[in-house]
């Protein structure tokens, strides 16, 4: 078989630990044999980030701006323990945070659902997509640990006029944090959510803590409402769709009682946390896809889960692990499909669809990794396999369809 040609390279961002091992296996077994893969490779593994003073992360984001489509492996966000483990020069920031700050935009996370895996929440009939704002807030916050003294919030406008308010008069040690966001980023967040909702024909929910955060969160609420009224209301009504704003506490309760099948837009931190809850309730973290869409139409595909450290430590001891590669495979298929669409390469789009179908067929035949076994409804005979066996079985199914 002749390999499928590509015209524009994908920006490939390699990562860490177990997902780095799986990354290579996916390329070797499921992509190289079929696609004449063109990528511009950036190693975002922690060792390389430390070596380049994290310049490599910035470069990979800039390459994404240039080419338009990236695929990213999960990466370690260093903490104190990683500082010693990897003997780091500095506690580098989250690569995802850095990339999102450069690309702006919104992260859409949707579970891969299967008829043989019933969600933990019995009322959920259709996937819930989380739309997470991917700019600012706590991910770009400035923080101090402080002692006794006065903390103030000071804003100096372009004419030098100061607005000053006391945050707290510290009588003891404490912590302090400054967060920001930009109207322009919130507007593009709102527009990408409304557009995405229209494109998948689903209702859009949005929630913040506006009752407590009367300026910060309220700004998000106001901007969404204004953009809805002026740009999207007519289109939503024409399609019979609803835009629904509610306080986050209320949203959490309603989501659990809902049937699913809508998009839930959330601020950066809320989206980070809620997407883990939603993905776990739909089955497994390993079945959650994730794509960052920037306001000017750049795409970065990744798995929603991390580097699966616990499995990696077992792998290092020589054990064969049953780590689920589904979300990482879907990061590749998402990126290849988008590249194919943008470059008018029908074969590439077709390949991405067939690879996804081969994954689903494999799971429906009962061949699966350990994380999924206890979630199935008992309607098929299960064969639990390790990661390599699972990927090989997907390859068998893929070859049958080509
Ligand atoms: P994690 O890597 O997502 O893993 C948490 C647990 O979830 C695992 O121990 C495993 O449970 C289960 N799991 C996750 N993905 C799985 C898969 N593909 N197959 C089977 N089980 C899976 O989260 P973490 O342990 O909190 O974080 C590990 C590292 O990843 C950290 O250094 C963190 O900074 C980084 N991280 C990166 C990203 C990203 O790059 N997007 C996102 C989150 C975290 P069992 O052990 O019970 O099997
Ligand atoms: Mg998270």
């Amino acid at each position: 078989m002749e390999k499928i040609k590509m015209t524009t390279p994908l920006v490939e961002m390699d990562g860490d630990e177990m997902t780095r091992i799986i990354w290579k296996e996916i390329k070797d077994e499921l992509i190289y044999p079929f696609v004449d893969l063109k990528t511009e490779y950036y190693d975002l593994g922690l060792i390389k980030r430390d070596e380049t003073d994290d310049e490599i992360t910035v470069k990979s984001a800039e390459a994404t701006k240039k080419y338009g489509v990236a695929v990213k492996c999960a990466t370690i966000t260093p903490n104190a323990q990683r500082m010693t483990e990897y003997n780091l020069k500095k506690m580098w920031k989250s690569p995802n945070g850095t990339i999102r700050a450069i690309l702006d935009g919104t992260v859409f996370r949707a579970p891969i659902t299967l008829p043989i895996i019933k969600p933990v929440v019995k009322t959920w009939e259709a996937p819930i997509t989380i739309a997470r704002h991917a700019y600012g807030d706590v991910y770009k916050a400035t923080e101090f640990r402080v002692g006794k003294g006065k903390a103030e919030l000071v804003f100096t406008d372009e004419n030098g006029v100061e607005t000053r308010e006391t945050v707290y008069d510290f009588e003891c040690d404490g912590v302090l944090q400054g967060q920001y966001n930009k109207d322009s980023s919130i507007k593009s967040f709102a527009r990408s959510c409304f557009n995405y909702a229209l494109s998948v024909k689903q209702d859009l929910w949005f929630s913040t803590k506006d009752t407590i955060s009367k300026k910060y969160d309220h700004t998000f609420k106001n901007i969404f409402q204004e953009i809805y009224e002026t740009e999207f209301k007519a289109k939503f009504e024409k399609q019979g769709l609803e835009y629904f704003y509610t306080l986050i506490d209320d949203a959490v309760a309603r989501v659990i009682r809902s049937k699913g099948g809508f998009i839930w837009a959330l601020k950066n931190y809320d989206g980070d946390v809620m997407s883990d809850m939603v993905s776990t309730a739909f089955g497994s973290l390993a079945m959650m896809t994730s794509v960052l869409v920037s306001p000017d139409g750049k795409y970065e595909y990744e798995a929603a889960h991390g580097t699966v450290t616990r499995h990696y430590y077992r792998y290092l001891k020589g054990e064969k692990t049953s780590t689920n590669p589904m979300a990482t495979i879907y990061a590749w298929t998402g990126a290849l499909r988008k590249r194919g669409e943008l470059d008018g390469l029908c074969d590439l789009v077709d390949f991405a669809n067939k690879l996804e179908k081969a994954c689903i067929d494999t799971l429906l035949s009962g061949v699966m990794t350990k994380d999924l076994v206890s979630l199935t409804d008992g309607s098929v005979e299960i064969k639990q396999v390790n990661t390599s066996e699972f990927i090989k079985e997907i390859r068998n199914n893929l070859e049958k369809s080509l």
Side-chain angles (χ1 to χ4, degrees), residues 322 362-363 365-370 373 380-386 389-390 393:
S322 188
T362 304
L363 292 170
S365 75
V367 177
M368 58 186 65
T369 46
K370 188 170 174 232
V373 170
V380 289
E381 199 184 317
I382 304 298
K383 186 179 170 207
Q384 184 185 309
V385 291
N386 65 41
E389 291 165 340
F390 183 63
E393 187 63 21

Side-chain angles (χ1 to χ4, degrees), residues 17 19 22 72-79 82 94-96 100 109 272 276 284-287 302-311 314 322-328 369-371:
E17 300 193 313
T19 39
I22 293 175
K72 181 180 171 291
C73 180
T75 46
I76 292 169
T77 299
N79 54 15
R82 301 292 195 175
S94 149
N96 283 348
R100 285 169 197 157
R109 289 191 168 168
D272 184 354
D276 283 1
S284 163
L285 249 186
M287 296 288 275
E302 59 171 341
H305 61 76
T307 59
V308 213
T309 311
R310 293 210 327 197
H311 294 210
R314 294 213 298 270
S322 188
T323 316
N324 188 339
M326 282 290 288
T328 306
T369 46
K370 188 170 174 232
D371 55 312

Side-chain angles (χ1 to χ4, degrees), residues 238-251:
K238 202 171 156 206
Q239 291 206 25
L241 297 176
E242 190 190 6
Y243 167 60
F244 172 60
Y245 177 86
T246 188
L247 191 64
I248 188 156
D249 317 45
D250 181 48

